[in-house]
């Protein structure tokens, strides 16, 4: 297929990509025919996928607003993906213009578009890095230029840990970031929950195996373990729509349809 002018020259345009598929589910324009084809096939099998994507994005915005209200003025967004409307820096700086944000993603398209969108904003940067390398990320001069790790940080791991394989031990990975954070920092996680829609889990697995980043849906107890060393903010680990909704009508009668749980924890 023809390569779009926003697409880096060294990327395969024929293989679907999870970040671009997520952009498609959110109604974005930074996706390719291969991404849209798989995304439509997934939606045919699991029609609620766009609902899940939007509910997850709404949780991210609410979590950032909560952190800003709690006094957080610096954020580390791991696995940030392709920027879309209502991204972290927009939400945070709307609440407090002095907020600083570091985005981290290893997807070249996500990094390239982040750089375009962030041009001229000296309180935001993007690092091209794999979140499985916390030591490299936390010592990167570009991060340290913006974030003071001796002060509280909002650590965002929203819908990224499902792309971390069991062999990489996601709970241990989160702990390595936790240990670098100052007391008073917050952690926000959303993650696919195996108990919520067991019939659809294998369908999703099969489709994402066609991408470069297969997905893992985990049990609730495994997700809770990722918050070890943090104190849950009310209402704890709940379905994404149930985490501090802006209005009650935002929560459906069956919030388990989203298939994702989310929570925010504070490091004492």
């Amino acid at each position: 297929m023809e390569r779009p002018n926003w697409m880096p020259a060294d990327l395969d345009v024929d293989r679907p990509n999870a970040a671009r598929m997520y952009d498609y589910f959110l109604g974005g324009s930074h996706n390719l025919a291969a991404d849209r084809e798989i995304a439509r096939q997934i939606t045919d099998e699991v029609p609620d996928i766009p609902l899940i994507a939007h509910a997850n994005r709404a949780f991210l915005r609410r979590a950032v607003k909560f952190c800003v209200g709690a006094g957080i003025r610096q954020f580390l967004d791991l696995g940030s993906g392709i920027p879309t409307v209502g991204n972290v820096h927009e939400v945070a700086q709307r609440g407090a213009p002095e907020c600083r944000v570091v985005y981290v993603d290893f997807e070249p398209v996500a990094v390239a578009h982040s750089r375009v969108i962030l041009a001229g904003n000296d309180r935001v940067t993007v690092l091209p890095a794999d979140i499985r390398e916390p030591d490299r990320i936390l010592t990167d001069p570009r991060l340290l230029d913006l974030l003071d790790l001796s002060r509280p940080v909002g650590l965002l791991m929203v819908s990224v840990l499902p792309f971390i394989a069991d062999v990489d031990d996601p709970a241990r990975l989160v702990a390595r970031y936790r240990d670098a954070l100052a007391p008073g920092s917050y952690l926000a996680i959303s993650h696919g929950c195996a108990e919520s829609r067991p019939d659809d889990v294998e369908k999703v697995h099969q489709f994402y195996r066609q991408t470069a980043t297969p997905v893992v849906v985990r049990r609730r107890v495994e997700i809770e373990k990722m918050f070890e060393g943090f104190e849950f903010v009310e209402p704890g680990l709940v379905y994404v729509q149930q985490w501090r909704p802006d209005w009650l009508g935002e929560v459906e009668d069956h919030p388990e349809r989203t298939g994702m749980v989310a929570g925010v924890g504070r490091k004492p």
Side-chain angles (χ1 to χ4, degrees):
M1 65 167 288
E2 183 178 350
R3 182 179 299 275
N5 57 13
W6 49 263
M7 184 81 170
D10 58 344
L11 291 187
D12 184 352
V13 298
D14 296 316
R15 187 174 188 183
N17 173 274
R20 296 194 303 261
M21 288 164 60
Y22 187 57
D23 176 73
Y24 173 78
F25 290 133
L26 289 172
S29 59
H30 297 118
N31 48 77
L32 305 177
D35 310 310
R36 294 189 288 272
E37 177 60 26
I38 293 297
R40 290 175 186 133
Q41 291 178 29
I42 296 175
T43 304
D44 286 343
E45 293 290 331
V46 186
D48 290 335
I49 286 288
L51 163 73
I52 294 168
H54 283 280
N56 186 64
R57 194 70 179 179
F59 163 72
L60 172 65
R61 292 193 290 267
R62 295 196 304 272
V64 170
K65 287 197 293 185
F66 168 82
C67 288
V68 171
I72 298 296
R73 295 295 181 267
Q74 47 184 7
F75 293 85
L76 177 56
D77 185 1
L78 300 176
S80 49
I82 297 174
T84 57
V85 174
N87 216 320
V88 173
H89 72 281
E90 295 175 339
V91 176
Q93 292 178 348
R94 189 178 303 125
E98 69 273 22
C99 282
R100 301 179 302 280
V101 180
V102 173
Y103 292 113
V104 178
D105 206 293
F106 80 145
E107 166 57 58
V109 169
V111 173
H113 282 283
S114 295
R115 285 174 173 161
V116 171
I117 289 174
L118 303 177
N121 191 331
D122 60 3
R123 292 191 174 94
V124 190
T125 194
V126 56
L127 303 184
D130 190 325
I131 73 166
R132 292 172 296 182
E133 300 178 331
D135 295 336
R136 174 188 167 196
I137 290 169
L138 293 167
T139 58
D140 191 300
R142 291 166 293 183
L143 180 147
L144 297 176
D145 281 346
L146 276 184
L147 305 187
D148 178 358
L149 297 182
S150 70
R151 300 181 62 81
V153 172
L155 177 62
L156 308 172
M157 304 184 81
V158 175
S159 199
V160 65
L161 292 168
F163 297 100
I164 303 298
D166 288 336
V167 68
D168 293 312
D169 196 347
R172 181 174 175 272
L173 177 64
V174 175
R176 291 172 69 187
Y177 285 100
R178 177 202 65 210
D179 292 345
L181 300 179
S185 294
Y186 287 86
L187 167 68
I189 289 176
S190 66
H191 200 298
C193 183
E195 291 94 336
S196 62
R197 302 183 63 152
D199 293 342
D200 292 326
V201 167
E202 185 54 32
K203 295 178 185 177
V204 173
H205 281 181
Q206 289 176 358
F207 281 111
Y208 273 90
R209 288 190 191 109
Q210 301 177 54
T211 75
T213 48
V215 68
V216 180
V217 178
R218 296 185 168 93
R219 294 176 294 120
R220 188 186 191 93
V221 65
E222 296 175 283
I223 302 167
E224 287 177 344
K225 186 179 178 182
M226 297 171 188
F227 285 93
E228 188 173 317
F230 292 88
E231 297 174 346
F232 272 120
V233 170
E234 290 293 334
L237 188 64
V238 294
Y239 289 112
V240 285
Q241 289 183 337
Q242 295 175 314
W243 198 89
R244 297 182 175 240
D246 293 326
W247 56 294
L248 292 179
E250 193 173 355
V251 182
E252 298 190 352
D253 291 338
H254 297 282
E256 69 276 7
R257 282 181 61 204
T258 62
M260 297 194 71
V261 294
V264 174
R266 182 182 183 275
K267 182 176 177 178

